[in-house]
Amino acid sequence: MDAHVLLNQYLKTNPQLVGKVVDFDATTDSLYHFNFTASNTELSAETFGDTAKFSIWIDEQLQKNNCKYGIGGYMEHRTIYARSKHFDTSDEPRRLHLGVDIWAQPGTPVYVPLQGKVHSFNDNNNFGDYGPAIILEHNLDGLKLYTLYGHLSRKSLDELSVGMPVSINQPLATFGNISENGNWPPHLHFQLMFDMEGKKGDYPGVCRYSEKEKYLQNIPDPQLILRFPATVNE
């Protein structure tokens, strides 16, 4: 049976086995939807090309809309990646975002949403990269699923070891600041994968638009785990 179908069945049958990724409370917290496509004319190239200005802009949007968290990005064709050569290739640049970004303050706690173990971790210390990242491995009644957490604080990696068991709602990490998270405004890149393709401590979070169908097969929508309500500005 298709892995996407199996994942949906497992999550619907076992909602009690799905925990949180961040401390979001739908009764008190609102979500702001960020749009980083070419249709967002409010975000200039000058702003997103300067990390300090970009971070201020993110904070202003959250404060103006009275939101603790911002959200967005799954399969979004983003123009902001022109800010870093990390996403440029010799033929077609990488601009399609494969995970969901959760924007909040540095130090924001990150939790384990599914029982599993540490698959791998690494400090991907390049401008525009993940910075510190953790990948967990989960066995969902025989279906293998991996969850990726990028742009973390460096201290998040300190107590980890490969194969270390993790439990639902266990504190895992914290959001990194600009100086350690790949030079981004503080946020978490959260992504699901069925197959790590042999990679450790890293997996593409952005791909070429021409590769969309390929990656859709391996990367389900993180909202299946996050279960966030509709955002305030949709």
Side-chain angles (χ1 to χ4, degrees), residues 141-218:
D141 287 348
L143 174 67
K144 193 166 286 187
L145 181 73
Y146 300 90
T147 54
L148 182 151
Y149 311 78
H151 309 298
L152 305 173
S153 63
R154 288 207 171 96
K155 68 179 182 181
S156 299
L157 307 184
D158 287 349
E159 304 299 323
L160 297 180
S161 60
V162 172
M164 184 178 80
V166 292
S167 55
I168 297 170
N169 293 329
Q170 174 184 327
L172 177 68
T174 54
F175 286 27
N177 59 41
I178 290 172
S179 67
E180 60 187 349
N181 74 352
N183 214 259
W184 290 96
H187 72 288
L188 172 72
H189 177 98
F190 179 63
Q191 186 169 309
L192 311 180
M193 294 84 60
F194 294 121
D195 185 354
M196 283 297 298
E197 301 177 31
K199 296 177 174 61
K200 295 181 179 180
D202 191 15
Y203 188 89
V206 182
C207 74
R208 301 174 181 88
Y209 190 79
S210 62
E211 298 174 315
K212 182 177 181 178
E213 292 307 314
K214 167 193 167 183
Y215 279 101
L216 274 171
Q217 296 301 310
N218 192 40

Coordinates of all heavy atoms in Angstrom, one line a residue, residues 141-218:
D141 N 3.8 1.3 13.2 CA 3.2 0.0 12.8 C 3.8 -0.6 11.6 O 3.1 -1.1 10.7 CB 1.7 0.1 12.7 CG 1.0 0.2 14.0 OD1 1.6 0.0 15.1 OD2 -0.2 0.6 14.0
G142 N 5.2 -0.5 11.5 CA 5.9 -1.0 10.3 C 6.2 0.0 9.2 O 7.0 -0.3 8.4
L143 N 5.5 1.2 9.3 CA 5.8 2.2 8.3 C 7.0 3.1 8.9 O 6.8 3.7 10.0 CB 4.6 3.1 8.1 CG 4.8 4.4 7.2 CD1 5.2 4.0 5.8 CD2 3.6 5.2 7.3
K144 N 8.0 3.2 8.2 CA 9.1 4.1 8.7 C 8.9 5.5 8.2 O 8.6 5.8 7.1 CB 10.5 3.5 8.1 CG 11.7 4.1 8.8 CD 13.0 3.4 8.5 CE 13.0 2.0 9.2 NZ 14.3 1.3 9.0
L145 N 9.0 6.4 9.2 CA 8.9 7.8 8.9 C 10.0 8.6 9.6 O 10.4 8.2 10.7 CB 7.5 8.4 9.4 CG 7.2 9.8 9.2 CD1 6.9 10.1 7.7 CD2 6.1 10.3 10.1
Y146 N 10.5 9.6 9.0 CA 11.6 10.4 9.5 C 11.1 11.9 9.7 O 10.3 12.4 8.8 CB 12.8 10.5 8.6 CG 13.4 9.1 8.4 CD1 13.0 8.3 7.4 CD2 14.4 8.6 9.3 CE1 13.6 7.0 7.1 CE2 15.0 7.3 9.1 CZ 14.5 6.6 8.0 OH 15.1 5.3 7.8
T147 N 11.4 12.5 10.8 CA 11.1 13.9 11.0 C 12.4 14.7 11.1 O 13.3 14.3 11.8 CB 10.2 14.1 12.2 OG1 10.9 13.5 13.4 CG2 8.8 13.5 12.0
L148 N 12.4 15.9 10.5 CA 13.6 16.7 10.4 C 13.3 18.0 11.1 O 12.2 18.6 10.9 CB 14.1 16.9 9.0 CG 15.3 17.8 8.8 CD1 16.0 17.3 7.5 CD2 15.1 19.3 8.7
Y149 N 14.3 18.5 11.9 CA 14.1 19.8 12.7 C 15.4 20.6 12.4 O 16.5 20.2 12.8 CB 14.0 19.5 14.2 CG 13.0 18.4 14.5 CD1 13.3 17.1 14.3 CD2 11.7 18.8 14.9 CE1 12.4 16.1 14.6 CE2 10.8 17.8 15.2 CZ 11.1 16.4 15.0 OH 10.2 15.5 15.3
G150 N 15.2 21.7 11.6 CA 16.3 22.5 11.2 C 16.3 23.9 11.8 O 15.3 24.4 12.3
H151 N 17.5 24.6 11.8 CA 17.7 26.0 12.3 C 17.6 26.0 13.8 O 17.0 26.9 14.4 CB 16.6 26.9 11.7 CG 16.6 26.9 10.2 ND1 17.7 27.2 9.4 CD2 15.6 26.5 9.3 CE1 17.3 27.0 8.1 NE2 16.1 26.6 8.1
L152 N 18.2 25.0 14.5 CA 18.1 24.9 15.9 C 19.3 25.7 16.6 O 20.2 26.2 15.9 CB 18.2 23.4 16.3 CG 17.1 22.5 15.7 CD1 17.4 21.1 16.0 CD2 15.7 22.9 16.2
S153 N 19.3 25.7 17.9 CA 20.4 26.2 18.6 C 21.5 25.2 18.7 O 21.2 24.0 18.6 CB 20.0 26.6 20.1 OG 19.5 25.5 20.8
R154 N 22.7 25.6 18.8 CA 23.8 24.6 18.8 C 23.8 23.8 20.1 O 24.1 22.6 20.0 CB 25.2 25.4 18.8 CG 25.5 26.0 17.4 CD 26.9 26.1 17.1 NE 27.1 26.5 15.7 CZ 27.3 27.7 15.3 NH1 27.3 28.7 16.1 NH2 27.4 27.9 14.0
K155 N 23.3 24.3 21.2 CA 23.2 23.5 22.4 C 22.2 22.4 22.3 O 22.2 21.4 23.0 CB 22.8 24.4 23.6 CG 21.4 24.9 23.6 CD 21.1 25.8 24.8 CE 19.7 26.3 24.8 NZ 19.4 27.1 26.0
S156 N 21.3 22.4 21.3 CA 20.3 21.4 21.0 C 21.0 20.1 20.7 O 20.4 19.0 20.9 CB 19.4 21.8 19.9 OG 18.6 22.9 20.2
L157 N 22.2 20.1 20.2 CA 22.9 18.9 19.7 C 23.8 18.3 20.8 O 24.3 17.2 20.7 CB 23.8 19.2 18.5 CG 23.2 19.9 17.3 CD1 24.2 20.0 16.2 CD2 22.0 19.2 16.8
D158 N 23.9 19.0 22.0 CA 24.9 18.6 23.0 C 24.7 17.2 23.6 O 25.6 16.5 23.8 CB 25.0 19.6 24.1 CG 25.6 20.9 23.6 OD1 26.3 20.9 22.6 OD2 25.6 21.9 24.4
E159 N 23.4 16.9 23.9 CA 23.2 15.7 24.7 C 22.7 14.5 23.8 O 22.2 13.5 24.3 CB 22.1 15.9 25.7 CG 22.5 17.1 26.7 CD 23.8 16.8 27.5 OE1 24.0 15.6 27.9 OE2 24.5 17.7 27.7
L160 N 22.8 14.7 22.5 CA 22.3 13.6 21.6 C 23.3 12.5 21.3 O 24.5 12.7 21.3 CB 21.9 14.3 20.2 CG 20.8 15.3 20.3 CD1 20.5 15.8 18.9 CD2 19.5 14.8 20.9
S161 N 22.7 11.4 20.9 CA 23.5 10.3 20.4 C 22.7 9.5 19.4 O 21.5 9.4 19.6 CB 24.0 9.3 21.5 OG 22.9 8.8 22.2
V162 N 23.3 9.0 18.4 CA 22.6 8.2 17.4 C 22.0 7.0 18.0 O 22.6 6.3 18.8 CB 23.5 7.8 16.2 CG1 22.8 6.9 15.3 CG2 24.0 9.1 15.5
G163 N 20.7 6.7 17.8 CA 20.0 5.6 18.3 C 19.3 5.9 19.6 O 18.6 5.0 20.2
M164 N 19.5 7.1 20.2 CA 18.9 7.4 21.5 C 17.4 7.4 21.4 O 16.9 8.1 20.5 CB 19.4 8.8 21.9 CG 19.0 9.2 23.3 SD 19.7 10.9 23.7 CE 18.6 11.9 22.8
P165 N 16.7 6.7 22.3 CA 15.2 6.7 22.2 C 14.6 8.1 22.6 O 15.2 8.8 23.4 CB 14.8 5.6 23.1 CG 15.9 5.5 24.1 CD 17.2 5.8 23.3
V166 N 13.5 8.4 21.9 CA 12.8 9.7 22.3 C 11.3 9.3 22.4 O 10.8 8.4 21.7 CB 13.0 10.8 21.2 CG1 14.4 11.3 21.2 CG2 12.6 10.3 19.8
S167 N 10.6 10.0 23.3 CA 9.2 9.8 23.5 C 8.4 11.0 23.2 O 8.8 12.1 23.0 CB 9.0 9.4 25.0 OG 9.5 10.4 25.8
I168 N 7.1 10.7 23.0 CA 6.1 11.8 22.7 C 6.1 12.9 23.7 O 6.1 12.7 24.9 CB 4.7 11.2 22.6 CG1 4.6 10.1 21.5 CG2 3.7 12.2 22.3 CD1 3.4 9.3 21.5
N169 N 6.2 14.1 23.1 CA 6.2 15.4 23.9 C 7.4 15.6 24.7 O 7.5 16.5 25.5 CB 4.9 15.5 24.8 CG 3.7 15.6 24.0 OD1 3.7 16.2 22.9 ND2 2.6 15.1 24.5
Q170 N 8.5 14.8 24.5 CA 9.8 15.0 25.1 C 10.4 16.3 24.6 O 10.4 16.5 23.3 CB 10.7 13.8 24.9 CG 12.1 14.0 25.4 CD 13.0 12.8 25.0 OE1 12.5 11.7 25.0 NE2 14.2 13.0 24.8
P171 N 11.0 17.2 25.4 CA 11.7 18.3 24.9 C 12.9 17.8 24.1 O 13.6 17.0 24.5 CB 12.2 19.1 26.2 CG 11.2 18.7 27.2 CD 10.8 17.2 26.9
L172 N 13.1 18.4 22.9 CA 14.1 17.9 21.9 C 15.2 19.0 21.7 O 16.3 18.7 21.7 CB 13.4 17.5 20.6 CG 14.4 17.1 19.5 CD1 15.1 15.8 19.8 CD2 13.7 17.0 18.2
A173 N 14.7 20.2 21.5 CA 15.6 21.3 21.0 C 15.0 22.7 21.3 O 13.9 22.8 21.9 CB 15.9 21.1 19.5
T174 N 15.8 23.7 20.9 CA 15.2 25.1 20.9 C 15.6 25.7 19.6 O 16.6 25.4 18.9 CB 15.8 25.9 22.1 OG1 17.2 25.8 22.0 CG2 15.3 25.3 23.4
F175 N 14.8 26.8 19.2 CA 15.1 27.5 18.0 C 16.4 28.2 18.2 O 16.7 28.8 19.3 CB 14.0 28.6 17.8 CG 12.7 28.1 17.3 CD1 12.2 26.9 17.6 CD2 11.8 29.0 16.6 CE1 11.0 26.4 17.2 CE2 10.6 28.6 16.2 CZ 10.1 27.3 16.5
G176 N 17.2 28.3 17.1 CA 18.5 29.0 17.2 C 18.4 30.4 16.9 O 17.3 30.9 16.3
N177 N 19.4 31.2 17.2 CA 19.4 32.6 16.8 C 20.1 32.8 15.5 O 20.6 31.8 14.9 CB 20.0 33.5 18.0 CG 21.4 33.1 18.3 OD1 22.2 32.8 17.4 ND2 21.8 33.0 19.6
I178 N 20.1 34.0 15.0 CA 20.7 34.3 13.7 C 22.1 33.8 13.5 O 22.5 33.3 12.5 CB 20.6 35.8 13.4 CG1 19.1 36.2 13.2 CG2 21.4 36.2 12.2 CD1 18.9 37.7 13.1
S179 N 22.9 34.0 14.6 CA 24.3 33.7 14.5 C 24.6 32.2 14.4 O 25.7 31.8 14.1 CB 25.1 34.3 15.7 OG 24.7 33.6 16.9
E180 N 23.6 31.3 14.7 CA 23.9 29.9 14.7 C 23.0 29.1 13.9 O 23.2 27.9 13.7 CB 23.8 29.4 16.2 CG 22.5 29.6 16.8 CD 22.4 29.2 18.3 OE1 23.4 28.6 18.8 OE2 21.5 29.5 19.0
N181 N 21.9 29.6 13.3 CA 20.9 28.9 12.7 C 20.9 28.9 11.1 O 19.9 28.6 10.5 CB 19.5 29.3 13.1 CG 19.1 30.6 12.6 OD1 19.8 31.3 11.9 ND2 17.8 31.0 12.8
G182 N 22.1 29.2 10.6 CA 22.2 29.3 9.1 C 21.9 30.7 8.6 O 21.8 31.0 7.5
N183 N 21.9 31.7 9.6 CA 21.7 33.1 9.3 C 20.3 33.4 8.8 O 20.1 34.1 7.7 CB 22.8 33.6 8.3 CG 23.2 35.1 8.5 OD1 22.7 36.0 7.8 ND2 24.0 35.3 9.5
W184 N 19.3 32.9 9.5 CA 17.9 33.2 9.2 C 17.2 33.8 10.4 O 17.7 33.6 11.6 CB 17.2 31.9 8.9 CG 17.6 31.2 7.7 CD1 18.5 30.2 7.5 CD2 17.0 31.5 6.4 NE1 18.5 29.8 6.2 CE2 17.6 30.6 5.5 CE3 16.0 32.4 5.9 CZ2 17.3 30.6 4.1 CZ3 15.7 32.4 4.6 CH2 16.4 31.5 3.7
P185 N 16.2 34.6 10.2 CA 15.3 34.9 11.3 C 14.9 33.7 12.1 O 14.7 32.6 11.4 CB 14.1 35.6 10.7 CG 14.6 36.1 9.4 CD 15.6 35.1 8.9
P186 N 14.8 33.7 13.4 CA 14.6 32.5 14.2 C 13.3 31.8 13.7 O 12.2 32.4 13.7 CB 14.4 33.0 15.6 CG 15.3 34.2 15.6 CD 15.1 34.9 14.3
H187 N 13.5 30.5 13.4 CA 12.3 29.7 13.0 C 12.7 28.2 13.0 O 13.9 27.9 13.1 CB 11.7 30.0 11.7 CG 12.6 29.7 10.5 ND1 13.8 30.3 10.2 CD2 12.4 28.7 9.5 CE1 14.3 29.7 9.1 NE2 13.5 28.8 8.7
L188 N 11.7 27.3 13.0 CA 12.0 25.9 12.9 C 11.6 25.4 11.5 O 10.4 25.7 11.0 CB 11.2 25.1 13.9 CG 11.2 23.6 13.8 CD1 12.5 23.0 14.2 CD2 10.1 23.0 14.7
H189 N 12.4 24.7 10.8 CA 12.1 24.0 9.6 C 11.7 22.6 10.0 O 12.5 21.8 10.5 CB 13.2 24.0 8.6 CG 12.9 23.2 7.3 ND1 12.5 23.9 6.2 CD2 13.0 21.9 7.0 CE1 12.3 22.9 5.2 NE2 12.6 21.7 5.7
F190 N 10.4 22.2 9.8 CA 9.9 20.9 10.2 C 9.5 20.2 8.9 O 8.8 20.7 8.1 CB 8.7 21.0 11.1 CG 8.1 19.7 11.5 CD1 8.9 18.8 12.3 CD2 6.8 19.4 11.2 CE1 8.3 17.6 12.7 CE2 6.3 18.2 11.6 CZ 7.0 17.3 12.3
Q191 N 10.0 18.9 8.7 CA 9.8 18.2 7.5 C 9.7 16.7 7.8 O 10.3 16.2 8.7 CB 11.0 18.5 6.5 CG 10.9 17.9 5.2 CD 11.9 18.4 4.2 OE1 12.2 19.6 4.1 NE2 12.6 17.5 3.6
L192 N 8.9 16.1 6.9 CA 8.7 14.6 7.0 C 9.3 13.9 5.8 O 9.2 14.5 4.7 CB 7.2 14.3 7.1 CG 6.3 15.0 8.1 CD1 4.9 14.5 8.0 CD2 6.8 14.8 9.5
M193 N 9.8 12.8 6.0 CA 10.4 12.0 4.9 C 10.1 10.5 5.1 O 10.2 10.0 6.2 CB 11.9 12.1 4.7 CG 12.4 13.5 4.3 SD 12.5 14.7 5.7 CE 13.7 13.8 6.7
F194 N 9.8 9.7 4.1 CA 9.7 8.3 4.2 C 11.1 7.6 4.0 O 11.3 6.5 4.5 CB 8.7 7.7 3.1 CG 7.3 8.2 3.3 CD1 6.6 8.9 2.4 CD2 6.6 7.8 4.5 CE1 5.3 9.3 2.5 CE2 5.3 8.2 4.7 CZ 4.6 8.9 3.7
D195 N 11.9 8.2 3.2 CA 13.2 7.6 2.8 C 14.3 8.7 3.0 O 14.2 9.8 2.4 CB 13.2 7.1 1.4 CG 14.4 6.4 0.9 OD1 15.4 6.4 1.7 OD2 14.4 5.8 -0.2
M196 N 15.3 8.4 3.7 CA 16.4 9.4 3.9 C 17.4 9.3 2.8 O 18.4 10.1 2.7 CB 17.1 9.1 5.2 CG 16.4 9.6 6.4 SD 16.2 11.5 6.4 CE 18.0 12.0 6.5
E197 N 17.3 8.3 1.9 CA 18.2 8.2 0.7 C 19.7 8.1 1.1 O 20.5 8.6 0.4 CB 17.9 9.3 -0.3 CG 16.5 9.3 -0.8 CD 16.2 10.5 -1.7 OE1 17.2 10.9 -2.4 OE2 15.1 11.0 -1.7
G198 N 19.9 7.5 2.3 CA 21.3 7.4 2.7 C 21.9 8.6 3.4 O 23.1 8.5 3.9
K199 N 21.2 9.7 3.5 CA 21.7 10.9 4.1 C 21.6 10.9 5.6 O 20.8 10.2 6.2 CB 21.0 12.1 3.6 CG 21.1 12.3 2.1 CD 20.3 13.5 1.5 CE 20.6 13.8 0.1 NZ 20.2 12.6 -0.8
K200 N 22.5 11.6 6.3 CA 22.6 11.7 7.7 C 22.8 13.2 8.1 O 23.7 13.8 7.6 CB 23.7 10.8 8.3 CG 23.5 9.3 8.1 CD 24.6 8.5 8.7 CE 24.3 7.0 8.4 NZ 25.4 6.2 9.0
G201 N 22.0 13.6 9.1 CA 22.2 15.0 9.6 C 21.7 16.0 8.7 O 21.9 17.2 8.9
D202 N 21.2 15.7 7.5 CA 20.8 16.6 6.5 C 19.9 15.9 5.5 O 20.0 14.7 5.3 CB 22.1 17.1 5.8 CG 21.8 18.3 4.9 OD1 20.8 18.9 5.0 OD2 22.7 18.6 4.0
Y203 N 19.0 16.7 4.9 CA 18.2 16.2 3.8 C 17.6 17.5 3.1 O 17.3 18.4 3.8 CB 17.0 15.3 4.3 CG 16.3 14.7 3.1 CD1 16.7 13.5 2.6 CD2 15.2 15.4 2.5 CE1 16.0 12.9 1.5 CE2 14.6 14.8 1.4 CZ 15.0 13.6 0.9 OH 14.3 13.0 -0.2
P204 N 17.6 17.5 1.8 CA 17.1 18.8 1.1 C 15.8 19.3 1.7 O 14.8 18.5 1.8 CB 17.0 18.3 -0.3 CG 17.9 17.2 -0.5 CD 17.9 16.5 0.8
G205 N 15.8 20.6 2.0 CA 14.6 21.2 2.4 C 14.0 22.1 1.4 O 12.9 22.7 1.5
V206 N 14.8 22.2 0.3 CA 14.4 23.0 -0.9 C 14.9 22.3 -2.1 O 16.0 21.7 -2.1 CB 15.1 24.4 -0.8 CG1 14.7 25.3 -2.0 CG2 14.8 25.1 0.5
C207 N 14.1 22.2 -3.2 CA 14.5 21.5 -4.4 C 14.2 22.4 -5.6 O 13.5 23.4 -5.5 CB 13.8 20.2 -4.5 SG 12.0 20.3 -4.9
R208 N 14.6 21.9 -6.8 CA 14.2 22.5 -8.0 C 12.7 22.3 -8.3 O 12.2 21.3 -7.9 CB 15.0 21.9 -9.2 CG 16.5 22.0 -9.1 CD 17.2 21.2 -10.2 NE 18.6 21.3 -10.1 CZ 19.4 20.4 -9.4 NH1 18.8 19.4 -8.8 NH2 20.7 20.5 -9.4
Y209 N 12.1 23.3 -8.9 CA 10.6 23.2 -9.1 C 10.3 22.0 -10.0 O 9.3 21.3 -9.9 CB 10.1 24.5 -9.7 CG 8.6 24.5 -9.8 CD1 7.9 24.8 -8.6 CD2 7.9 24.2 -10.9 CE1 6.5 24.8 -8.7 CE2 6.5 24.2 -11.0 CZ 5.8 24.5 -9.8 OH 4.4 24.5 -9.9
S210 N 11.3 21.7 -10.9 CA 11.1 20.6 -11.9 C 11.1 19.2 -11.1 O 10.6 18.2 -11.7 CB 12.1 20.6 -12.9 OG 13.4 20.4 -12.4
E211 N 11.5 19.2 -9.9 CA 11.6 17.9 -9.1 C 10.4 17.8 -8.2 O 10.4 16.8 -7.4 CB 12.9 17.9 -8.3 CG 14.2 17.9 -9.1 CD 15.4 18.1 -8.2 OE1 15.4 18.9 -7.3 OE2 16.4 17.3 -8.5
K212 N 9.4 18.6 -8.3 CA 8.3 18.6 -7.3 C 7.6 17.3 -7.2 O 7.4 16.8 -6.1 CB 7.3 19.7 -7.7 CG 6.1 19.8 -6.7 CD 5.1 20.9 -7.1 CE 4.0 21.0 -6.1 NZ 3.1 22.1 -6.5
E213 N 7.3 16.7 -8.3 CA 6.5 15.4 -8.3 C 7.4 14.3 -7.6 O 6.8 13.5 -6.8 CB 6.1 15.0 -9.7 CG 5.1 15.9 -10.3 CD 3.8 16.1 -9.4 OE1 3.3 15.1 -8.8 OE2 3.4 17.2 -9.2
K214 N 8.6 14.3 -7.9 CA 9.5 13.3 -7.2 C 9.5 13.5 -5.7 O 9.4 12.5 -5.0 CB 11.0 13.5 -7.8 CG 12.0 12.7 -7.0 CD 13.4 13.2 -7.3 CE 14.4 12.7 -6.4 NZ 15.8 13.2 -6.6
Y215 N 9.7 14.7 -5.2 CA 9.8 14.9 -3.8 C 8.4 14.8 -3.1 O 8.3 14.4 -1.9 CB 10.4 16.3 -3.5 CG 11.9 16.2 -3.6 CD1 12.6 16.7 -4.7 CD2 12.7 15.7 -2.5 CE1 14.0 16.6 -4.8 CE2 14.0 15.6 -2.6 CZ 14.7 16.1 -3.7 OH 16.1 16.0 -3.8
L216 N 7.3 15.0 -3.8 CA 6.0 14.8 -3.2 C 5.8 13.3 -2.9 O 5.1 13.0 -1.9 CB 4.9 15.2 -4.2 CG 4.5 16.7 -4.2 CD1 3.6 17.0 -5.4 CD2 3.9 17.1 -2.9
Q217 N 6.4 12.4 -3.6 CA 6.3 11.0 -3.3 C 7.0 10.7 -1.9 O 6.5 9.8 -1.2 CB 6.9 10.2 -4.4 CG 6.3 10.3 -5.7 CD 4.8 9.9 -5.7 OE1 4.4 8.9 -5.2 NE2 3.9 10.8 -6.2
N218 N 8.0 11.4 -1.6 CA 8.8 11.1 -0.4 C 8.5 12.0 0.8 O 8.8 11.6 1.9 CB 10.3 11.2 -0.7 CG 11.1 10.6 0.4 OD1 10.8 9.5 1.0 ND2 12.3 11.2 0.7

